[in-house]
Amino acid sequence: MTHDHQPTRGEPRVALVTCAELPDLEPDDRLLRAPLAARGVRVDTVTWDAPDVDWAGYDLVVLRSTWDYVARRDEFVAWARTVPRLANPADVVVWNTDKRYLDVLSAAGVPTVPTTWVAPGEPWQPPERGEYVVKPAVSAGSLDSGRYDLADPEHRRLATDHLGRLGAAGRVAMVQPYLHAVDTAGETALLFAGGPTGPVFSHAIRKGAMLAGPDQPTAELFHAEQIDPRTVTPEQLAVAERTLAAVPGGAERLLYARVDLIPGADGRPVLVELELTEPSLFLGHAEGAADRFADAIVAHLPTT
């Protein structure tokens, strides 16, 4: 569809951006519509790769369920660079859609999962024992990811095959030790909504373990997750805030952020992922969350 309007000083217009597989957004993102309408904001749902969209006609373009970008990252980031008022900004999208950003955060002192990167064509010698996760550096929704017990010869073969498939497709692979606390404590996702000086903590959820074994091919956009509300600890919040403080260009530009943590071997929180592109915000799992994120969107609208 074509949108040929220009931003006005009257009714602000916001695009919530999705993918062709989810033309009406995913259910959680739909919760933003009513609070935005209540704040006098007109909301359109637009597919990121739809032709003839006048992106400059929006006061703000908000990335949401663009979950098909993984196989087309170059095209996606090129599109992001053409959108004048994109949230989160295009340079953040470029940085955050390749998980090698973990090295940047680790160098800044953020506790992260130790990661080995394997480029296409590079050899990989699997450790003799231990459980490890293999996944691509550009991925979403736990797709193309597997968990392997490397003391098992069959799992060693499957892990090597997995890396070979990724390399043959031209994809950088990442290998990380499996954090067993995810099987008991689960993964904690801390959600932040942008404020005047940077993202402000909104709420948190618990996700159950996602990977039960080797990678299994699927046509889904993402694997289903078990979600429950969670109360964060001061230590978790401190790690999340340290993570956001290390974002290149400054966290004050961010409309939203999600920080995913799992207890490490010593029980202290370790960063698994920092989601700044198209994360699920789990608005339906915390009272007032949709209103907080709607307020953040309004605060990011241009003032003139």
Side-chain angles (χ1 to χ4, degrees):
M1 63 182 165
T2 301
H3 302 276
D4 56 5
H5 54 263
Q6 294 294 319
T8 69
R9 295 185 182 182
E11 179 188 51
R13 302 184 183 220
V14 169
L16 299 181
V17 186
T18 186
C19 62
E21 289 85 347
L22 295 166
D24 195 36
L25 300 170
E26 59 108 6
D28 193 71
D29 285 333
R30 294 175 206 152
L31 299 176
L32 284 169
R33 288 174 172 160
L36 284 171
R39 287 157 176 79
V41 177
R42 170 174 167 173
V43 179
D44 290 340
T45 299
V46 191
T47 302
W48 72 268
D49 57 353
D52 303 321
V53 176
D54 177 23
W55 297 107
Y58 287 101
D59 296 277
L60 193 66
V61 176
V62 181
L63 288 169
R64 291 313 315 126
S65 41
T66 56
W67 296 337
D68 64 347
Y69 81 86
V70 171
R72 304 159 61 193
R73 178 177 177 267
D74 289 348
E75 180 183 351
F76 181 68
V77 299
W79 164 80
R81 290 187 173 110
T82 70
V83 180
R85 289 169 290 276
L86 185 68
N88 284 327
D91 63 298
V92 172
V93 171
V94 174
W95 180 73
N96 189 240
T97 50
D98 187 323
K99 290 181 174 58
R100 283 176 285 188
Y101 68 75
L102 289 170
D103 283 351
V104 175
L105 297 175
S106 178
V110 176
T112 60
V113 183
T115 305
T116 299
W117 308 97
V118 183
E122 284 187 349
W124 177 66
Q125 180 59 44
E128 291 298 322
R129 61 183 61 83
E131 287 193 88
Y132 285 80
V133 171
V134 175
K135 58 185 177 182
V138 177
S139 64
S142 296
L143 298 181
D144 301 311
S145 302
R147 170 182 172 183
Y148 302 93
D149 180 356
L150 297 183
D152 181 333
E154 178 63 10
H155 272 225
R156 291 173 68 83
R157 182 187 68 79
L158 291 171
T160 302
D161 289 349
H162 187 172
L163 280 158
R165 289 195 304 276
L166 294 176
R171 306 174 75 181
V172 174
M174 51 195 297
V175 182
Q176 298 173 319
Y178 185 77
L179 300 181
H180 288 273
V182 72
D183 296 326
T184 52
E187 181 175 328
T188 300
L190 291 82
L191 286 302
F192 291 78
T197 60
V200 177
F201 176 69
S202 169
H203 60 286
I205 57 93
R206 177 193 184 275
K207 295 194 290 181
M210 296 284 291
L211 300 178
D215 177 42
Q216 297 291 329
T218 178
E220 299 173 334
L221 277 176
F222 58 93
H223 290 309
E225 299 173 316
Q226 178 184 338
I227 306 298
D228 300 291
R230 167 155 279 178
T231 300
V232 299
T233 67
E235 189 175 23
Q236 288 172 327
L237 188 57
V239 170
E241 290 174 343
R242 190 189 317 169
T243 301
L244 294 177
V247 173
E252 65 276 2
R253 301 181 301 147
L254 302 177
L255 172 62
Y256 51 75
R258 195 180 98 196
V259 183
D260 295 344
L261 305 175
I262 296 176
D266 60 359
R268 304 181 70 177
V270 171
L271 178 72
V272 181
E273 288 193 34
L274 170 61
E275 302 251 15
L276 304 178
T277 302
E278 33 56 57
S280 293
L281 299 175
F282 306 112
L283 301 176
H285 293 270
E287 185 176 354
D291 286 298
R292 289 190 288 276
F293 278 85
D295 284 339
I297 289 172
V298 171
H300 272 69
L301 293 172
T303 56
T304 59

